Structures are given as C-alpha cells and as structure tokens.
Amino acid sequence: MSFKQKVLELVKQIPSGRVASYGQVAAAAGSPRAARQVGWTLKSTDGDNSLPWWRVINSQGIISIKGNWTSTKQLQKDLLEEEGVEVSNDFRVNIERYRHQFK
DNA sequence: AACCTGACTTCGG
DNA sequence: TCCGAAGCCAGGT
C-alpha cells in the first residue's frame, strides 16, 4: 500500500461536519513529517468526487493555497459551511472544535 | 542521480 | 498575532 493510497483511504474516513489537518493524515498514514505530500496527493486526485479533500486543512485551520487556486479556497469554504462547519471571511476555522480523531 | 517544487509544520523573534 | 527560516517527503524534470 503506497503512501498515496493510505492518504486517500484516510481522507474518505473523515465524516461530514468534521475536519483534519494534513499533519494528522500524514501521521495516520505512517509518515508524521509528510504533511506536504498529503496536499500534493489531494491536488493530484482532485477529479475524484468520492474524495472529501475539503475536510483536510492545515494546523491553523486555514487553507493557505497560493496562485490561481483562490476559487478552490472559496469552494472549500462553501462546502464546509454546508456541512455545518463555521468558516470566517478570512478562511479561518476553529479546528479544535471540529477535529476528527483517526483510530 | 541531482535538483526543484509544494493545498505543511514548528519554532523564534 | 504575524512573518521568515528550516526541516521533511514524494514526484516531476
């Protein structure tokens, strides 16, 4: 099972209304320091609708996407709010409040 | 094989 | 609370 595969499986486990940080997913996948790869992996599989990538955010509770991904940030905000997660205008979320615990 | 890049994290100032 | 620098891992050139 590749790291990428584990990441996908873990992300799919996150229930609606909950979120997890890239670091959490990386750790649960077996590589605590591979948070960046989690983001890389999600980016490379964004065509898969069965993958709730929007429930994965950084440790600050923010999506620090740069470049032409601004529309993606807005999409994520909308999706999260639709699930009941409060997202402020500057894309901040109280991750402690919605954090999903992997077992 | 070497080098670059990034949807990250942590620590110091 | 904000900003910059360093560390890390996997893929692409």
Side-chain angles (χ1 to χ4, degrees):
Chain A
M1 184 74 86
S2 66
F3 174 79
K4 183 175 179 178
Q5 285 297 312
K6 289 184 179 179
V7 171
L8 299 181
E9 291 300 317
L10 291 167
V11 174
K12 289 179 182 176
Q13 286 178 38
I14 305 175
S16 174
R18 291 304 187 91
V19 300
S21 71
Y22 296 95
Q24 273 190 281
V25 178
S31 300
R33 314 297 172 188
R36 305 184 72 154
Q37 275 40 251
V38 176
W40 189 91
T41 298
L42 296 184
K43 175 171 67 74
S44 65
T45 61
D46 62 358
D48 191 340
N49 297 318
S50 67
L51 188 65
W53 56 267
W54 57 89
R55 294 176 188 152
V56 184
I57 58 185
N58 66 23
S59 64
Q60 308 298 302
I62 308 173
I63 289 298
S64 55
I65 302 176
K66 39 186 174 179
N68 304 317
W69 292 89
T70 52
S71 60
T72 301
K73 289 175 63 176
Q74 185 57 55
L75 170 61
Q76 175 166 39
K77 180 175 181 296
D78 296 337
L79 289 169
L80 288 176
E81 294 183 322
E82 198 171 323
E83 298 183 343
V85 177
E86 293 179 37
V87 183
S88 58
N89 299 318
D90 53 349
F91 300 95
R92 295 194 184 196
V93 177
N94 182 338
I95 190 173
E96 298 299 333
R97 184 173 169 183
Y98 306 100
R99 190 186 293 284
H100 171 64
Q101 296 295 330
F102 288 109
K103 300 172 186 172

